[in-house]
Amino acid sequence: MKTTKQLRTLLMTMSLLIAHLPIVAQSYSTKLLSHEQQIDEIIGSMTLEEKVEMLHGKNMFSSAGIPRLGIADVEYADGPFGIREEMEPHSWNSAHLTTDSATFFPTGSALAATWSTEWAYAYGKGMSREARMRGKDMILGPAINIQRIPTGGRTYEYLSEDPLLSGMLAVAYTKGAQDDGTAVCLKHYALNNQEDARGTVDVRITDRAMHEIYLRPFEMAVREGDAWGLMAAYNKVNGRWCSENEHLLTTVLRRQWGFPGMVISDWGGVHSTVDPVVAGLNVEMPGSRFMGKALIDSVKAGKVSEDVINQRVREILRVRLTVKPIDKAVANSKPVGNDEEMLTALQVARRSIVLLKNEPIVGKHALKAAKNQPWPLLPLNLTEVKNIAVIGENAVMKMALGGVGAGVKTRKEITPLEGLQAVLGGGKKITYAQGYKSFGKDSRNKRQSPQQPADKQLMAEAVKLAKSADLVIFFAGDNREVETEGSDRKTIALPSGQDELAQALAKANPRIVTVIVAGGPVDITTVDAVSPALVVSWFNGSMGGLALAEVLNGNIAPSGKLPMTWPRRLEDVPAYATGTYPQKADNSQGDIFVGLVNQGQNARAAGGSFQPVAHYAEESLVGYRWYDCKNVEVAYPFGHGLSYATFQYSNLKVSPTLDGFDVSFTLANNTQFDAEEVAQVYVSRPLSHLDRPEKELKGFQRVALKVGEQKVVTVKLRRSDLCHWDEAAQTWMLEPGNMVIRVGGSSNNLPLSATTTL
Ligand code: BGC
């Protein structure tokens, strides 16, 4: 019998002999190419001035059409999780309309925690329906950068640390929005993975890591979702600003992927006149500092050919003629925040909530009804729990607005306390204490550290309440001032003295359910140690409080799964462990966008001399890929999330298909709760001669199972997802050889496995 080592050498030699198979990119099906003749005629009749008028912002959130030819302006709207309120045309001041409300959808990480393409589609559709009512042509979202650092100011807006999960949800969101008639604008292309110095940082990354991890969600949303728009990010990639990065905009986006649509700049993210237009940027937003008169002059001086201008106009017209303009008299004529969209927000929120832990409580505080049988705190046992203390300001705090960037002026936001009152209702006594002073309230314009000590008086009141209650629900976590566009968190520690408060509460009453309200990971070491039950409820949209109450009460079983790893310590995070983040950043020159808000539409991108370089030294080992390979223990792993039900996985079968493999297995729910489970499929290539992570997510499916039900589930593994990026050949390649397929309900709990050959 051959040893593993001999076998490995043999297989390696064999696989080197068999050439890797290149996967040639084919053109994809797009709706954008059905007006080419009309576009030829339009462009043929336009003056240079009319053309250039289309290539920059008209108002803060629009770019010009061609009034003489009846071609409407393009109307844009933030953001990824709700249609932003109207601004005055040339400033960031609110227009003070009474009709520019919208549904506040769960933010990106909450959507991703559903692992549901079906609900991501509904979410995109809901966004589009409201965008249409508000007169918008293009939604500035979804925001699909990879969550490289948990502290990232926009981790809450982004989806996941994993490219497949991000990509599949981005495709579904895109299709949902565009099938309903509104274009998406995928942002921020590319590698905007930190907010500190986002306007100046230069990301240095290998081509392979860039394609396999950071560009992959964009590629999927473009080629599989037919996304019609992209937004170029503020930062540089490998030495060039994204808004004028020929490699990203021409070589990759337009040549390798075949993208025929339009690219707009991030707000204030243009730095010159000719390079962006030549590289493939269509619209400078929001003003005309570089791509207005200066561009006309450049064409006249022969620095850029009018053919290039024509091409950029063509790409805009493809989108403009595909999206039906909304009559200005109809736009914003009715308040928005429709029942149907609110219901979608609720359905997403219900599936996003993650039960991290639910342990029985033993000893003298055990629930009486369960003396001989350990009984967890959740779902709430209301025959025994008659008096609930709700503690922590996050139970009453609204999260639709805040931070620097996109917020939603929503008609409705049900807070967790309101949700609990509505769901538990009647005789159940719910009392509330603030517990801590939320960060942001007193900080006015000056940003202080959220890490303030506990407020002794608020703590004393909360402890008193906890003592008198049968059970405590402690709302910890961040808020929209702690996690915000324009700056990163300096730590993942819980803000506002919450750890100290949690310990004091636990002494008063150990029956604690801790609910974390946050968009990204926080350090839960202390709350985990004192809370038998731990729940993550994200920034969960207009209906988030109701969804949470339904889950705590057991009306529905929790089914969210972490879309990113929750690390134990910040030092363990790959970007920190490799010393490549933070880049000793001094953010004193301010954020690029804040500069724009203060200086107006034509402000130049903030820059200054502080231009850090971010070397992505961990390459493709982002998130769980790193922790797996380096054997680093984490607090809660990627894909983790418990239910009130338990699920049995059995009968794994792997069969080849034309496009990859069908992975089939039986999933059974033999418990007392109707529930949904997210089955996850990971692939390892133990004999690969390439550097690869220990395992990678290659497929998943959300499955609903009633009490006692079992289903045969089939997850498709697609060949395109099994490839690696070959830097020399500049294409995707399939490496033949052995492949281990593992299936289960979390990246660290994969009971089924099979080996097959590619
Ligand atoms: C953000 C974008 C946003 C734009 C317009 C920028 O600062 O980075 O995500 O769409 O502002 O509000």
Side-chain angles (χ1 to χ4, degrees), residues 61 78 84 92 140 154 187-188 198 231 234 266-267 485 593:
F61 282 92
D78 274 317
R84 187 178 186 166
W92 292 93
L140 302 178
R154 300 180 90 169
K187 67 188 190 185
H188 308 86
R198 65 173 165 163
M231 183 188 290
Y234 282 132
D266 202 341
W267 268 231
E485 182 179 334
F593 182 74

Side-chain angles (χ1 to χ4, degrees), residues 423-466:
V423 170
L424 304 186
K428 301 299 155 205
K429 201 165 156 228
I430 301 175
T431 46
Y432 166 73
Q434 185 183 340
Y436 53 83
K437 217 183 208 158
S438 283
F439 171 73
K441 287 244 153 135
D442 306 326
S443 63
R444 288 175 195 94
N445 282 332
K446 266 234 162 289
R447 230 187 123 68
Q448 302 150 346
S449 164
Q451 301 310 316
Q452 301 298 331
D455 181 304
K456 299 291 176 218
Q457 196 191 327
L458 292 178
M459 186 155 85
E461 284 164 20
V463 166
K464 194 166 163 218
L465 198 69

Side-chain angles (χ1 to χ4, degrees), residues 236-420:
K236 288 182 180 175
V237 171
N238 292 334
R240 298 297 304 269
W241 297 111
C242 288
S243 57
E244 55 190 65
N245 193 310
E246 204 201 337
H247 183 70
L248 286 178
L249 296 177
T250 305
T251 309
V252 174
L253 179 64
R254 299 207 190 268
R255 293 215 188 105
Q256 288 173 355
W257 300 350
F259 176 69
M262 61 188 275
V263 182
I264 66 175
S265 76
D266 202 341
W267 268 231
V270 175
H271 299 260
S272 63
T273 295
V274 173
D275 288 357
V277 182
V278 173
L281 185 79
N282 299 83
V283 183
E284 171 189 9
M285 285 305 289
S288 58
R289 184 181 172 103
F290 293 103
M291 287 165 61
K293 177 160 182 321
L295 185 54
I296 297 177
D297 293 346
S298 299
V299 177
K300 288 188 175 155
K303 289 186 186 151
V304 53
S305 113
E306 196 161 341
D307 289 348
V308 172
I309 304 290
N310 289 346
Q311 182 60 21
R312 299 290 90 92
V313 168
R314 172 179 301 279
E315 289 150 358
I316 299 173
L317 282 171
R318 285 174 179 154
V319 177
R320 179 63 287 176
L321 298 182
T322 305
V323 175
K324 194 167 158 284
I326 305 287
D327 189 339
K328 289 224 158 49
V330 174
N332 285 317
S333 56
K334 282 197 253 167
V336 180
N338 311 326
D339 288 350
E340 202 174 317
E341 277 57 75
M342 288 286 176
L343 185 59
T344 300
L346 176 62
Q347 294 284 33
V348 171
R350 281 174 172 157
R351 289 164 175 83
S352 75
I353 294 160
V354 180
L355 180 62
L356 291 180
K357 162 185 177 186
N358 191 21
E359 284 177 358
I361 185 153
V362 288
K364 72 174 182 195
H365 295 284
L367 291 167
K368 278 198 220 98
K371 270 257 172 78
N372 301 321
Q373 192 194 357
W375 200 259
L377 293 187
L378 294 176
L380 295 171
N381 174 347
L382 295 182
T383 42
E384 187 138 343
V385 172
K386 304 239 182 296
N387 176 340
I388 297 177
V390 170
I391 291 170
E393 202 176 0
N394 275 355
V396 297
M397 195 167 219
K398 305 218 172 190
M399 301 291 179
L401 293 167
V404 171
V408 188
K409 183 167 137 188
T410 186
R411 286 174 77 187
K412 170 152 86 180
E413 181 176 348
I414 300 176
T415 65
L417 183 61
E418 288 165 349
L420 284 166

Side-chain angles (χ1 to χ4, degrees), residues 117-251:
T117 50
E118 181 193 342
W119 287 104
Y121 182 92
Y123 186 121
K125 181 174 168 204
M127 285 286 298
S128 168
R129 283 166 50 101
E130 296 198 350
R132 301 270 80 195
M133 290 182 70
R134 295 275 310 276
K136 309 300 177 191
D137 300 307
M138 184 175 270
I139 296 164
L140 302 178
I144 58 174
N145 294 91
I146 290 292
Q147 294 163 334
R148 178 176 186 245
I149 49 172
T151 41
R154 300 180 90 169
T155 293
Y156 80 92
E157 275 188 74
Y158 297 151
L159 299 172
S160 171
E161 70 186 21
D162 181 82
L164 184 81
L165 179 57
S166 299
M168 302 253 300
L169 298 178
V171 168
Y173 182 132
T174 298
K175 286 186 176 165
Q178 294 189 167
D179 285 355
D180 187 72
T182 314
V184 298
C185 183
L186 310 173
K187 67 188 190 185
H188 308 86
Y189 184 72
L191 292 125
N192 180 181
N193 309 109
Q194 65 184 64
E195 289 297 289
D196 280 356
R198 65 173 165 163
T200 52
V201 65
D202 182 1
V203 174
R204 301 286 170 84
I205 183 170
T206 64
D207 216 37
R208 182 168 170 215
M210 178 158 84
H211 280 271
E212 290 183 9
I213 304 288
Y214 295 95
L215 299 188
R216 185 68 185 140
F218 290 92
E219 179 180 12
M220 289 172 73
V222 165
R223 293 183 54 85
E224 295 168 32
D226 186 23
W228 298 334
L230 273 89
M231 183 188 290
Y234 282 132
N235 48 284
K236 288 182 180 175
V237 171
N238 292 334
R240 298 297 304 269
W241 297 111
C242 288
S243 57
E244 55 190 65
N245 193 310
E246 204 201 337
H247 183 70
L248 286 178
L249 296 177
T250 305
T251 309

Side-chain angles (χ1 to χ4, degrees), residues 626-640:
W626 172 270
Y627 304 112
D628 278 357
C629 286
K630 306 285 174 191
N631 279 319
V632 177
E633 226 185 289
V634 301
Y636 288 97
F638 176 77
H640 171 76

